[in-house]
Amino acid sequence: MAVSLGMRISGLLVVGAVAVAVAAFGGDGSGGPDRGGREGTIVTVGPSDSPRAHGSSASPTPRTSPAGEASGTVGPGGPHHTHTTTPPPSSASPTPSAGNKPLLSPGWLPRGPVSPNADAVPDPSSVYDRLRDPARCRAALKVIPPVSADPEWRVLRALATACLAVQGKGGSWETAAREYTALAGKADTCKGRAAYAVLGGLLDFHRQHPDATVQLQASSGGTPACAYRIAGVDRDEAQPGDTVGIELRGTYFDHAELLRYGSVLIGGRLLPGPPVPRSESGDELVLSAVVPALDGYPKTVDVVVRYGAVEVRLVDAFTVVAPNVLPSPSVPSGTPQGMLSFGPLPAHLPRP
């Protein structure tokens, strides 16, 4: 039976529609395996490689990671973006926050060591020891002379003032800065130089953080400010009765106290009386000592200087040699050398 032209055209349209549907839902019609493991099955959900597959939201919300990165996804066909949020510039405020690191406290005074301070009278060395506890800056300030030409006192006063200012307890940065400039190179003791250096550190901290206040912490351990020792004796050889100079360096106490309460030993012999000063400058002091008579010559001796519980020793400091002049046999025993005995003089002899 003959088929009309209209029916043929209708059949071609139906076949074409089926082909288009297969191409749309089944790819190239190769019949590859789908995600269900069955061949030839037509999947009617969205593409499985889409970021929105399996019920994900159509408008993804960016997720912030602990590291501060915000990552978000876009619709299919668009690129995947990963961008980093830039933290705001660090604030000058001293208050620690999530975006600011806590300020480090400036360094404080190193140990002295502690001055014996036998007379219990405040002096720069003992006040330095008080200032080692930054909680006592106000108390230390009360015993420092308000007006003094002594650079040691002036440095300590400026340091105590800056100590209060940096901790938000008063003080005056202007006074501290003015004294720091005026006292450059004038602190001539080990404790004075240490105090001046710490004062400079506080002023640097204030310049970098003008509105900051911190709690100062007392230092522990580390190298002491002073290295007290006998630097030397001014003679290699000496006889009993000679005078030698004993040079002390790095003194960390009032020299007047040593001269009042100290003592000197040469070759194990304690010299009579307190030490005698020859000269002093800053933390250097030269003592004058008379060499005692010893048993046996020549003899290399140690020199010891004591003050309270503090003792410094110079081993094999010098050699004591035998005296050049011995007492004359004609001089009666007990008569000091160089003195005349009291006998009758020729002018007083009786007449014949």
Side-chain angles (χ1 to χ4, degrees):
M1 180 173 57
V3 180
S4 67
L5 178 62
M7 293 181 64
R8 290 181 180 180
I9 293 174
S10 298
L12 290 174
L13 291 175
V14 172
V15 172
V18 172
V20 170
V22 171
F25 293 99
D28 57 0
S30 61
D34 62 8
R35 294 187 183 273
R38 296 175 56 191
E39 295 184 0
T41 304
I42 298 175
V43 182
T44 59
V45 297
S48 61
D49 59 349
S50 169
R52 290 180 291 179
H54 308 291
S56 63
S57 173
S59 300
T61 302
R63 175 179 52 84
T64 303
S65 71
E69 297 180 352
S71 59
T73 56
V74 295
H80 181 82
H81 296 282
T82 301
H83 50 91
T84 304
T85 58
T86 303
S90 155
S91 172
S93 172
T95 304
S97 65
N100 294 333
K101 293 182 179 179
L103 294 177
L104 295 178
S105 176
W108 193 236
L109 291 173
R111 57 194 178 96
V114 176
S115 170
N117 196 24
D119 59 7
V121 176
D123 53 65
S125 296
S126 62
V127 172
Y128 176 101
D129 300 333
R130 295 191 191 190
L131 279 174
R132 286 211 61 235
D133 181 359
R136 302 176 64 189
C137 289
R138 192 178 304 279
L141 190 60
K142 293 179 180 179
V143 300
I144 298 175
V147 178
S148 175
D150 185 353
E152 303 292 313
W153 279 127
R154 292 174 63 186
V155 167
L156 293 176
R157 185 168 187 81
L159 181 61
T161 300
C163 169
L164 295 175
V166 78
Q167 297 185 100
K169 299 178 180 179
S172 169
W173 285 117
E174 181 182 356
T175 299
R178 182 175 63 249
E179 286 291 82
Y180 182 80
T181 301
L183 296 171
K186 295 184 179 180
D188 58 359
T189 68
C190 44
K191 285 186 175 181
R193 289 187 292 268
Y196 185 81
V198 171
L199 175 60
L202 293 184
L203 292 170
D204 285 342
F205 176 86
H206 178 62
R207 279 191 290 268
Q208 296 174 24
H209 312 283
D211 299 322
T213 59
V214 294
Q215 187 68 36
L216 294 174
Q217 300 295 326
S219 60
S220 60
T223 304
C226 303
Y228 178 45
R229 65 198 184 279
I230 299 177
V233 175
D234 64 353
R235 299 183 64 168
D236 294 328
E237 291 186 352
Q239 301 176 15
D242 289 346
T243 301
V244 296
I246 304 170
E247 182 180 358
L248 303 176
R249 290 186 183 175
T251 55
Y252 56 93
F253 42 76
D254 186 0
H255 292 168
E257 298 173 18
L258 172 66
L259 301 177
R260 191 180 310 155
Y261 305 107
S263 58
V264 177
L265 294 86
I266 295 179
R269 298 286 181 90
L270 178 63
L271 303 188
V276 178
R278 177 182 293 181
S279 64
E280 63 177 318
S281 175
D283 58 4
E284 299 180 5
L285 175 64
V286 179
L287 302 177
S288 182
V290 178
V291 179
L294 302 174
D295 298 328
Y297 302 103
K299 191 169 189 176
T300 302
V301 295
D302 298 349
V303 172
V304 175
V305 177
R306 290 176 180 167
Y307 167 37
V310 179
E311 175 183 293
V312 285
R313 178 186 299 265
L314 182 60
V315 178
D316 297 341
F318 67 101
T319 300
V320 180
V321 298
N324 292 331
V325 179
L326 296 176
S328 172
S330 61
V331 177
S333 178
T335 302
Q337 184 179 355
M339 300 286 291
L340 295 175
S341 60
F342 291 96
L345 297 177
H348 295 170
L349 291 178
R351 294 181 179 180

